[in-house]
């Protein structure tokens, strides 16, 4: 009778390194929901998120031998997914493509205090951010990277990272303001 | 431009309450957004396993990874040998032939009749005749 218990992380990694498709599927089942959450935060739409998820998992399986086992496996996977997302938009040359009309939407609008936002609402709002703003916002506000680290990761200056984050905040304020106006 | 003025105004002013609310939400429940999980699309695993098998087929087998650099070095050595042979001058070639086969061959390879005569007389091997 087959056992339904989940193999531990070490067994999963060992199995995947041997190219065992059952272990690969189990590893996917265990981590895909969390990783798809990351993809959705960095992607402009669900199709892009799906592409990033697929590319990220292929990279994970191909480079699994490079995981030294010293740090957290989930943390290692997260970094691969974040880098895949950055690469995805760099390939498309869309990381900093922000049109003038989009820039004009940034305003200094004061908004009233909000009801508690759900994570899904915030993700939806974040996905509407222009690509460059969204990536910097995710890296700084959610993942907790410093502006210096972001500058290195994205090959931009520290000042650019700071200004993109400031603009992302302003953009989100605008969106939340509109959302509140629609509600009232 | 209009938006740069707006941005400068925004950066000069303290962050509005809306942003404080977002930051509060981000930090709720041990940063829920960081750990936020969403079920992936159903067909994703199929696409990943297909891509994975394609990648594995494209990559050269590990057992034969040494073959490529070995072939590269072999080709380099052959090229150097051919280039040396082509560019080599006659003097060297003659010296080589002489060292291998003796002066008679060297003389026959040079196109000077004088050399041939001179060389043949100089290096004529005396034949000792014995009385019967």
């Amino acid at each position: 009778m087959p056992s339904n218990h989940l193999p531990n992380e070490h067994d999963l990694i060992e199995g995947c390194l041997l190219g065992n498709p059952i272990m690969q599927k189990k590893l996917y089942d265990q981590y895909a929901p969390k990783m798809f959450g990351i993809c959705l935060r960095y992607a402009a739409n669900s199709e892009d998120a799906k592409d990033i998820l697929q590319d990220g998992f292929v990279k994970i399986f191909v480079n699994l031998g490079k995981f030294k086992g010293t740090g957290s496996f989930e943390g290692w996977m997260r970094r691969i997914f974040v880098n895949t997302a950055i690469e995805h938009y760099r390939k498309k040359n869309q990381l900093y493509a922000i049109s003038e009309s989009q820039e004009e939407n940034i305003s200094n609008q004061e908004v009233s205090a909000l009801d508690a936002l759900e994570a899904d609402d915030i993700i939806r709002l974040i996905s509407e951010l222009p690509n460059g703003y969204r990536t910097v916002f995710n890296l700084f506000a959610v993942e907790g990277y410093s502006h210096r680290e972001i500058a290195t990761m994205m090959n931009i200056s520290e000042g650019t990272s700071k200004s993109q984050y400031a603009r992302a905040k302003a953009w989100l304020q605008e969106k939340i303001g509109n959302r509140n106006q629609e509600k009232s | 431009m209009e938006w740069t003025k707006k941005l400068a105004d925004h950066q000069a002013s303290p962050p509005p309450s809306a942003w404080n609310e977002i930051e509060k939400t981000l930090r709720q429940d041990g940063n829920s957004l960081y750990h936020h999980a969403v079920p992936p699309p159903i067909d994703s695993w199929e696409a990943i396993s297909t891509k994975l098998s394609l990648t594995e087929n494209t990559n050269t087998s590990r057992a034969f990874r040494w073959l490529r650099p070995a072939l590269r070095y072999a080709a380099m050595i052959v090229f150097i040998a051919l280039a040396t042979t082509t560019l080599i001058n006659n003097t060297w070639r003659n010296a080589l032939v002489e060292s291998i086969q003796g002066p008679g061959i060297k003389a026959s390879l040079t196109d000077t009749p004088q050399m041939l005569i001179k060389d043949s007389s100089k290096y004529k091997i005396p034949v000792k005749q014995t009385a019967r």
Side-chain angles (χ1 to χ4, degrees):
Chain A
M1 208 174 127
S3 63
N4 287 330
H5 79 278
L6 277 173
N8 66 37
E9 195 177 278
H10 181 262
D11 291 345
L12 271 179
I13 295 169
E14 286 295 314
C16 292
L17 281 172
L18 293 169
N20 183 340
I22 298 165
M23 287 300 196
Q24 287 176 339
K25 177 73 167 67
K26 282 188 177 175
L27 187 131
Y28 171 82
D29 287 341
Q30 192 168 325
Y31 291 103
K34 273 187 183 178
M35 297 307 134
F36 193 52
I38 297 172
C39 298
L40 282 172
R41 269 196 289 112
Y42 282 87
N45 52 58
S46 57
E47 279 306 303
D48 280 1
K50 213 168 132 180
D51 286 347
I52 296 167
L53 182 80
Q54 290 173 11
D55 290 349
F57 265 108
V58 170
K59 274 188 192 174
I60 297 280
F61 290 126
V62 170
N63 296 298
L64 202 55
K66 290 178 188 169
F67 175 62
K68 305 287 177 201
T70 46
S72 142
F73 181 58
E74 193 185 311
W76 181 76
M77 287 183 81
R78 272 180 178 276
R79 274 199 302 280
I80 289 185
F81 274 92
V82 168
N83 287 333
T84 308
I86 293 171
E87 268 173 37
H88 182 85
Y89 286 105
R90 194 176 282 154
K91 265 186 211 164
K92 286 186 166 184
N93 205 18
Q94 287 180 346
L95 211 50
Y96 310 108
I98 299 156
S99 70
E100 200 169 296
S101 62
Q102 283 176 313
E103 292 277 21
E104 281 171 359
N105 282 332
I106 299 168
S107 75
N108 188 27
Q109 188 182 358
E110 287 286 337
V111 288
S112 60
L114 292 169
D115 301 324
L117 282 169
E118 294 296 326
D120 284 339
D121 292 330
I122 300 181
I123 286 175
R124 205 170 302 121
L125 284 172
I126 291 172
S127 72
E128 288 170 21
L129 280 164
N131 293 326
Y133 294 179
R134 187 175 57 248
T135 311
V136 172
F137 177 83
N138 272 313
L139 290 169
F140 186 81
V142 185
E143 314 280 351
Y145 287 101
S146 69
H147 283 299
R148 185 169 290 180
E149 287 170 320
I150 296 168
T152 312
M153 286 168 87
M154 295 178 69
N155 202 19
I156 54 174
S157 72
E158 211 177 318
T160 307
S161 175
K162 283 178 185 171
S163 68
Q164 295 254 320
Y165 180 65
R167 289 175 194 185
K169 285 203 302 187
W171 180 278
L172 281 170
Q173 284 157 20
E174 164 91 19
K175 291 282 177 188
I176 291 162
N178 293 344
R179 186 174 169 270
N180 280 359
Q181 277 173 1
E182 281 167 18
K183 270 190 175 179
S184 59
Chain B
M1 279 195 293
E2 185 74 13
W3 67 266
T4 43
K5 189 183 172 298
K6 283 176 181 176
L7 181 67
D9 290 345
H10 164 73
Q11 283 169 337
S13 64
S17 53
W19 181 249
N20 296 338
E21 284 299 324
I22 294 172
E23 289 193 322
K24 204 171 95 185
T25 312
L26 287 174
R27 280 163 181 77
Q28 269 173 2
D29 306 322
N31 200 342
S32 60
L33 207 55
Y34 183 83
H35 295 290
H36 188 63
V38 182
I42 303 161
D43 58 342
S44 276
W45 172 246
E46 214 170 295
I48 290 164
S49 57
T50 310
K51 277 187 183 179
L52 206 56
S53 59
L54 282 173
T55 312
E56 281 166 1
N57 289 339
T58 312
N59 289 343
T60 319
S61 168
R62 282 185 186 185
F64 291 100
R65 273 186 193 167
W66 57 269
L67 197 62
R68 193 177 287 182
L71 284 173
R72 197 183 297 143
Y73 283 120
M76 211 158 71
I77 289 163
V78 168
F79 173 77
I80 290 167
L82 282 172
T84 313
T85 315
T86 313
L87 295 172
I88 209 159
N89 60 36
N90 279 338
T91 315
W92 193 88
R93 192 188 60 161
N94 288 345
L96 184 69
V97 169
E98 191 178 335
S99 68
I100 297 167
Q101 293 176 311
I105 301 295
K106 183 192 172 189
S108 68
L109 285 170
T110 56
D111 296 329
T112 318
Q114 280 177 336
M115 276 289 287
L116 189 65
I117 296 158
K118 189 185 170 187
D119 282 352
S120 60
S121 61
K122 188 180 176 183
Y123 296 105
K124 195 175 182 181
I125 301 163
V127 179
K128 198 179 178 181
Q129 296 207 347
T130 51
R132 292 197 174 197

